[in-house]
Amino acid sequence: RAQVDDFVLPRFIAQITGQRTVPLGDALVSTEDSCIGIELCEELFTPQSPHIAMSLAGAEIIVNSSGSHHELRKLQRRVDLIKEATMKCGGIYLYANQQGCDGDRLYYDGSAMVLANGAVLAMGRQFSIADVEVTLATADLGAVRAFRAANSSRSIQASHAEVPDYPRVHVAFSLSPEHAQLDYSVRPTAPMQPRFHTPEEEINLGPACWLWDYLRRSRQGGFFLPLSGGIDSCSTALIVHSMCRLVVAACARGDPQVLSDVRRCTGSDIVPQTAQDLASQIFHTCYMGTTNSSPDTRARAKQLASALGSYHVDLSMDSVVAAIVGLFTLVCGSTATPRYAVHGGSTAENLALQNIQARLRMLLAYLFAALLPWVRGRTGGGSLLVLGSSNVDECLRGYFTKYDCSSADLNPIGSISKADLRRYVAYACTHMDLPVLLSFLDAMPTAELVPFSKDYVQSDEVEMGMTYDELTEFGRLRKIGRCGPYSMFTQLLHVWVDRKLSPREIADKVKRFFFYYSINRHKMTTITPAYHAETYSPDDNRFDMRQFLYNSSWSWQFAAIDNAVDRIEALGEHQN
């Protein structure tokens, strides 16, 4: 800290700059009219951020070259930290952040800012498909000096010996021209209120920018999405629609890069006028029904595809399912014909028949993604990227089939909760003028993999033994709260007081969650790369580096929970 070394420049750089060495390390840069300090990215979020010592050592401007990725509800924390830094220390803070897809699961959400003395002067867009965005403001150095002079305690702290003696690198130029003080056309930028998107708006814009970045950089011809008629695949389709809206708006502004990418992707000279125009070229959807599918989900999928303008395919795959089951029976004998549980079959038979349908949908998705551009006579643009639609709660619980249509090239909703997705669909219904979405909000979440009747309809939450809202709480406590089974139980005893659940009911839910989490953890090793939006993402490949083989009995932890429940119940009986 507060040290520099002379770094010998490579010869070809030395020939350009005319200098042989350059100071490298932790220092302040002194111009002829000010002093600049530098902190990097996550240092802003640490308890002892460098801007504090640098400000006390005389830096009037702090520069942060950041690579801070997007998470839902995170931007306000970022802005609050910078406002607090400049409000306590006084000074100007220049925050530049990377924007766009990192080629992986992260999206960097821009929001470049200029702040001075606790006020936001300028703020760039959080979500944009533009390659470059510049944020400008005029700040008054005199106001910084007056702000600091008014705080005598700050001056006393700055004089203490504990403040690091930062080396200063002197440069022979000024940040402002000499005549600026007398130029009455130059005026400081007035403070502004920062703009924060709602979580629904963030879901609408962040993954959409991520998808466009991925599509143009992978040089593919568009997207293929299996539409089930449920909330999850509906949300994914809406995000693609949002992407199309952003692209059309950029084309209308005359962005040459976006227009060039559109024409390469579509293999035509199209200038799309509406999101539906673009979707008809690059967005392909398919409803893959069976005898277990209801007319309602088929109708919802068709109506949504029509509203968004996608190229839609509606098919029945019963013959393919029957061929697979027939092959199994042929190999294993006529008596080996699996049956659903409602027809008297065992649990193994019932699960196998469901998984056949789910996995065939993945195979069909990749077949159609490869050949639909050929069928449509698309001469350029490449094949289609397959989109998945499993949400973060289902991934956490393992409530999906390994290698079903959750296995895809990309998943824009893979770390977004079911509750947030429902709110997003409600938002899109009004803000995107899509009344067709009302039917999705009223529908019960169901996999539709077993025969239904008047007396039985497959329900996700009934099969899981917990609600999606409960899954979100389990996920946050497990990952963010660092809770195991026992500590999660003791936390929920207090958090769920208003839910009228007995301690034994809470214990059963916690044990059920950890049992299924542990036996299904292996599914995370092959999960589709998903847009990162939540800190409790269970993605094994990047955000949750835990083992995938657990002792599913959790014998010690579950015994401790049972013992605690017995003590609570005994205490209650004694008090009664």
Side-chain angles (χ1 to χ4, degrees):
R1 187 180 180 183
Q3 293 181 344
V4 295
D5 291 320
D6 285 333
F7 177 75
V8 179
L9 292 171
R11 290 178 182 176
F12 73 96
I13 295 180
Q15 290 171 359
I16 297 171
T17 63
Q19 63 188 109
R20 189 73 187 91
T21 63
V22 63
L24 185 67
D26 194 17
L28 303 180
V29 177
S30 286
T31 67
E32 293 178 350
D33 56 351
S34 189
C35 183
I36 304 170
I38 301 169
E39 68 179 2
L40 299 175
C41 197
E42 197 174 358
E43 290 178 334
L44 169 65
F45 293 81
T46 58
Q48 197 169 356
S49 299
H51 69 256
I52 300 172
M54 288 180 173
S55 298
L56 292 173
E60 295 176 324
I61 301 171
I62 300 295
V63 177
N64 189 328
S65 178
S66 181
S68 184
H69 62 267
H70 173 241
E71 286 177 357
L72 295 178
R73 307 170 180 87
K74 178 182 176 182
L75 179 60
Q76 186 163 355
R77 180 184 173 209
R78 197 186 299 161
V79 174
D80 287 345
L81 285 170
I82 303 175
K83 288 177 68 175
E84 183 183 4
T86 58
M87 188 177 292
K88 285 198 311 181
C89 300
I92 299 167
Y93 202 105
L94 309 179
Y95 179 84
N97 189 31
Q98 183 180 346
Q99 189 162 37
C101 170
D102 70 340
D104 195 41
R105 295 157 174 81
L106 297 180
Y107 177 78
Y108 295 94
D109 57 337
S111 307
M113 288 174 272
V114 181
L115 293 89
N117 299 339
V120 179
L121 303 184
M123 185 173 180
R125 287 180 293 178
Q126 185 178 11
F127 305 108
S128 170
I129 60 173
D131 282 341
V132 178
E133 187 173 82
V134 179
T135 302
L136 300 173
T138 301
D140 185 359
L141 285 170
V144 171
R145 292 159 189 161
F147 186 92
R148 290 181 172 182
N151 189 342
S152 59
S153 297
R154 181 199 175 281
S155 302
I156 293 171
Q157 287 187 353
S159 65
H160 286 175
E162 290 83 4
V163 176
D165 185 16
Y166 283 95
R168 295 207 175 200
V169 178
H170 295 274
V171 292
F173 65 81
S174 300
L175 297 176
S176 54
E178 189 174 348
H179 66 274
Q181 193 170 12
L182 303 177
D183 185 352
Y184 57 84
S185 67
V186 178
R187 61 185 61 187
T189 302
M192 59 168 285
Q193 287 297 320
R195 166 78 166 92
F196 298 113
H197 291 290
T198 64
E200 294 77 26
E201 292 171 330
E202 290 185 88
I203 294 171
N204 190 49
L205 295 170
C209 293
W210 182 74
L211 283 180
W212 176 248
D213 230 2
Y214 209 111
L215 178 61
R216 69 191 186 100
R217 289 165 63 182
S218 65
R219 304 187 70 81
Q220 297 303 299
F223 296 114
F224 180 91
L225 172 65
L227 270 184
S228 68
I231 282 283
D232 293 336
S233 62
C234 171
S235 300
T236 299
L238 289 173
I239 289 169
V240 176
H241 178 64
S242 174
M243 182 203 77
C244 291
R245 286 161 57 109
L246 292 172
V247 171
V248 169
C251 290
R253 292 193 302 268
D255 189 315
Q257 182 60 59
V258 173
L259 188 55
S260 173
D261 290 331
V262 167
R263 289 174 170 173
R264 186 217 54 79
C265 182
T266 60
S268 69
D269 292 332
I270 184 177
V271 181
Q273 301 300 308
T274 66
Q276 285 78 5
D277 285 346
L278 183 57
S280 69
Q281 297 294 313
I282 68 170
F283 189 29
H284 304 70
T285 54
C286 180
Y287 182 83
M288 305 179 191
T290 68
T291 54
N292 300 323
S293 304
S294 68
D296 292 339
T297 54
R298 186 184 295 271
R300 285 199 298 269
K302 185 176 182 179
Q303 291 163 5
L304 179 62
S306 177
L308 302 185
S310 68
Y311 181 90
H312 187 63
V313 176
D314 188 319
L315 62 86
S316 176
M317 49 183 253
D318 287 319
S319 59
V320 187
V321 175
I324 297 294
V325 175
L327 174 63
F328 177 81
T329 302
L330 178 65
V331 171
C332 297
S334 58
T335 58
T337 301
R339 295 174 297 167
Y340 291 104
V342 294
H343 296 154
S346 65
T347 300
E349 294 171 74
N350 192 61
L351 189 59
L353 287 173
Q354 292 185 66
N355 289 343
I356 288 171
Q357 300 165 70
R359 290 182 173 127
L360 281 174
R361 287 181 172 131
M362 183 201 71
L363 293 175
L364 290 172
Y366 275 96
L367 174 66
F368 278 81
L371 295 181
L372 275 183
W374 168 70
V375 169
R376 300 184 65 190
R378 293 271 298 275
T379 56
S383 62
L384 308 176
L385 294 168
V386 179
L387 298 180
S389 298
S390 55
N391 62 64
V392 68
D393 300 321
E394 290 169 346
C395 292
L396 182 69
R397 162 66 169 71
Y399 186 68
F400 63 93
T401 301
K402 199 174 187 179
Y403 303 119
D404 66 355
C405 57
S406 65
S407 294
D409 295 313
L410 297 170
N411 183 358
I413 67 165
S415 66
I416 303 175
S417 71
K418 191 79 163 187
D420 278 336
L421 290 175
R422 289 189 61 83
R423 286 189 284 267
Y424 168 54
V425 172
Y427 160 88
C429 183
T430 56
H431 289 77
M432 294 186 187
D433 191 24
L434 293 168
V436 65
L437 300 179
L438 288 172
S439 60
F440 286 85
L441 292 169
D442 295 335
M444 177 186 67
T446 174
E448 292 194 333
L449 293 172
V450 299
F452 63 92
S453 65
K454 293 180 180 179
D455 301 322
Y456 176 76
V457 176
Q458 190 175 25
S459 165
D460 291 354
E461 292 186 334
V462 171
E463 284 200 337
M464 290 191 298
M466 59 197 75
T467 67
Y468 280 106
D469 287 343
E470 289 169 348
L471 264 175
T472 298
E473 291 193 70
F474 292 148
R476 292 188 183 280
L477 287 173
R478 181 198 68 90
K479 181 79 180 289
I480 304 171
R482 304 293 195 271
C483 288
Y486 182 78
S487 56
M488 184 181 292
F489 166 71
T490 56
Q491 287 247 23
L492 291 176
L493 273 177
H494 304 283
V495 174
W496 284 0
V497 169
D498 58 341
R499 299 197 183 185
K500 309 303 181 183
L501 293 173
S502 70
R504 190 166 296 279
E505 289 173 321
I506 295 174
D508 289 342
K509 285 181 177 290
V510 170
K511 289 190 290 184
R512 184 176 182 85
F513 164 71
F514 272 97
F515 172 76
Y516 282 104
Y517 164 75
S518 59
I519 66 170
N520 288 316
R521 177 65 185 162
H522 65 94
K523 296 180 181 179
M524 291 295 97
T525 62
T526 60
I527 198 68
T528 297
Y531 180 92
H532 179 70
E534 285 283 7
T535 51
Y536 73 96
S537 168
D539 188 332
D540 176 76
N541 298 290
R542 179 154 184 175
F543 301 106
D544 200 4
M545 305 299 188
R546 306 189 186 201
Q547 72 267 31
F548 60 86
L549 178 61
Y550 279 90
N551 176 6
S552 60
S553 65
W554 297 89
S555 53
W556 188 91
Q557 294 91 336
F558 286 4
I561 291 174
D562 292 338
N563 182 52
V565 171
D566 291 341
R567 288 161 54 197
I568 293 170
E569 291 177 344
L571 181 62
E573 291 175 2
H574 176 72
Q575 290 175 343
N576 292 334

